[in-house]
């Protein structure tokens, strides 16, 4: 996080700056800027880290609100739970493949089970660190956390949503998993719309096809596929499901009731995550068929850039269109 980003003092200043530069800022930088602004306003807010340099400015300015636990994710989660006695909220930061998978027992017992206001922030979600290989793939984190009681699961689509989501989760009462990517991605928004936890954003009105996506690249894939289908004369809606838990059931049921097929898209395994959550809702009412796009149920033993790995997994517009066309003539 560069010095100029730390210069934006208030929550409103950060929101203005991120909005103006929303396609150029990494979501984790937007988050770090907002966390520092929130920490300035609330001396009870605490930031815990596992040797992650993007909190350096928080530590320099607010050292009494900051603890670096080193590369010890399990310890960080338990310390975060204990700190809620004196600090609220507590943000616990780490790389998603380690902050969730390595510390899952502590999250389950110490945080979710106790319903404590620990905000677990996992960067490098999905395949965004695929160049490090499968040890750094984070493909189970959404499914794992959404199964836990009391847990809210949020996956912003871009830097603008990341900044907004940080404010929202800071003021939410219980535990949260906030999943962030690694690179800056194009924005989805032309207008400053309100962010509400648990409320999906309708990016394209429902049609014969309904795309439901979560996260940066899956939403870009959905937007591209919907545009292409529209050009082919097939109406297609697009929901940005930035909150996977609690899922916006009303939005899913309303949009899917007008669709012939639902296609879910996520940078996660095709089982257990957004696709599974949507299937559970749609199946309960006998809705349209659901086609799930995500990483196949295999050990994804590949090394490469994020876009390469997404394409290999079929997380692209061509596959999204193909899945829709398999049902809609």
């Amino acid at each position: 996080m560069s010095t100029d980003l730390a210069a934006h003092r208030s929550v409103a200043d950060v929101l203005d700056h991120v909005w103006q530069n929303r396609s150029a800022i990494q979501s984790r930088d937007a988050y770090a800027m907002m966390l520092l602004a929130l920490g300035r306003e609330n001396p009870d807010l605490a930031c815990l880290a596992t040797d992650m340099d993007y909190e350096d400015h928080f530590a320099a300015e607010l050292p009494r609100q900051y603890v670096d636990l080193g590369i010890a994710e399990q310890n960080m989660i338990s310390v975060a739970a204990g700190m809620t006695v004196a600090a609220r909220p507590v943000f616990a930061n780490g790389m998603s493949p380690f902050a969730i998978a390595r510390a899952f027992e502590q999250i389950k017992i110490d945080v979710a089970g106790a319903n404590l206001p620990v905000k677990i922030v996992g960067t490098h979600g999905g395949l965004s660190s695929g160049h490090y290989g499968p040890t750094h793939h984070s493909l189970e984190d959404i499914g794992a956390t959404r199964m836990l009681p009391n847990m809210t699961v949020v996956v912003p689509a871009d830097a603008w949503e990341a900044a907004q989501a940080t404010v929202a989760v800071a003021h939410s009462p219980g535990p949260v998993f906030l999943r962030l990517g690694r690179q800056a991605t194009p924005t989805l928004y032309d207008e400053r719309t309100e962010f509400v936890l648990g409320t999906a954003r309708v990016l394209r009105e429902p049609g014969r096809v309904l795309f439901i996506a979560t996260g940066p690249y899956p939403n870009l894939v959905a937007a591209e596929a919907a545009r292409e289908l529209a050009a082919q004369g097939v109406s297609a809606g697009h929901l940005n499901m930035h909150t996977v838990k609690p899922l916006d059931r009303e939005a899913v049921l309303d949009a899917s009731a007008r669709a012939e097929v639902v296609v879910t898209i996520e940078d996660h395994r095709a089982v257990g995550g957004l696709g599974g959550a949507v299937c559970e809702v749609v199946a309960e009412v006998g809705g349209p068929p659901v086609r799930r796009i995500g990483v196949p149920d295999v050990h994804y033993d590949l090394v490469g850039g994020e876009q390469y790995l997404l394409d290999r997994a079929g997380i692209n517009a061509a596959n999204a269109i193909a899945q829709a066309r398999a049902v809609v003539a």
Side-chain angles (χ1 to χ4, degrees):
M1 181 172 140
S2 62
T3 302
D4 64 314
L5 296 184
H8 300 280
R9 303 293 300 177
S10 69
V11 168
D13 287 343
V14 173
L15 287 173
D16 286 343
H17 178 74
V18 173
W19 173 253
Q20 293 165 12
N21 301 277
R22 57 195 182 278
S23 289
I25 298 177
Q26 296 177 0
S27 60
R28 54 180 177 160
D29 276 345
Y31 157 74
M33 294 164 61
M34 185 57 76
L35 184 65
L36 180 54
L38 289 167
R40 290 173 180 137
E41 292 185 357
N42 178 12
D44 290 330
L45 181 149
C47 173
L48 275 62
T50 51
D51 196 29
M52 300 289 286
D53 59 5
Y54 63 87
E55 295 102 349
D56 284 352
H57 289 277
F58 193 106
E61 185 172 335
L62 303 173
R64 293 178 62 83
Q65 295 170 243
Y66 178 84
V67 182
D68 191 333
L69 280 299
I71 304 176
E73 288 81 7
Q74 300 101 316
N75 191 34
M76 177 184 68
I77 295 299
S78 293
V79 169
M83 284 184 66
T84 60
V85 173
R88 288 177 180 242
V90 179
F91 282 79
N93 302 273
M95 292 182 69
S96 192
F98 312 125
I100 301 302
R102 186 175 290 163
F104 186 73
E105 181 182 2
Q106 287 74 20
I107 297 169
K108 172 185 172 182
I109 302 300
D110 297 342
V111 175
N115 196 19
L116 294 176
V118 174
K119 319 304 178 182
I120 303 164
V121 182
T123 65
H124 302 71
L127 294 167
S128 61
S129 285
H131 54 289
Y132 290 126
T135 58
H136 285 61
H137 296 172
S138 189
L139 301 174
E140 303 81 19
D141 49 359
I142 296 173
T145 52
R146 87 172 184 92
M147 289 191 298
L148 296 176
N150 304 310
M151 185 70 76
T152 295
V153 180
V154 185
V155 189
D158 55 18
W160 171 238
E161 277 198 344
Q164 292 181 295
T166 304
V167 178
V169 304
H171 294 100
S172 63
V176 176
F177 170 48
L178 177 61
R179 189 201 210 218
L180 303 175
R182 180 172 172 271
Q183 299 292 343
T185 55
T187 187
L188 295 168
Y189 299 104
D190 296 323
E191 298 180 0
R192 290 181 62 153
T193 53
E194 183 183 6
F195 180 95
V196 180
L197 286 175
T199 301
R201 281 174 155 166
V202 180
L203 299 183
R204 196 179 185 103
E205 289 300 321
R208 296 177 65 194
V209 175
L210 173 61
F211 293 112
I212 305 178
T214 193
Y217 285 109
N219 269 294
L220 292 172
V221 165
E224 181 181 350
R227 287 194 301 268
E228 179 60 29
L229 282 173
Q232 298 172 13
V234 178
S235 59
H238 176 190
L239 291 184
N240 167 18
M241 196 63 66
H242 55 68
T243 307
V244 180
K245 184 183 178 183
L247 194 77
D248 189 344
R249 293 174 56 90
E250 183 177 347
V252 171
L253 292 176
D254 179 64
S256 64
R258 291 175 270 171
E260 297 172 39
V261 62
V262 176
V263 181
T264 64
I265 310 171
E266 58 195 307
D267 181 8
H268 184 272
R269 294 201 178 278
V271 297
L274 173 69
V278 170
C279 283
E280 291 164 11
V281 171
V282 174
E284 288 176 357
V285 298
V290 178
R291 296 296 186 98
R292 294 169 295 157
I293 294 177
V295 175
D297 189 21
V298 297
H299 179 50
Y300 207 50
D301 192 12
L302 295 174
V303 180
E306 184 172 14
Q307 285 289 352
Y308 167 78
L309 294 177
L310 290 170
D311 280 339
R312 284 289 299 268
I315 305 171
N316 54 47
N319 189 34
I321 293 168
Q323 295 298 323
R325 282 292 200 179
V327 178
V328 177

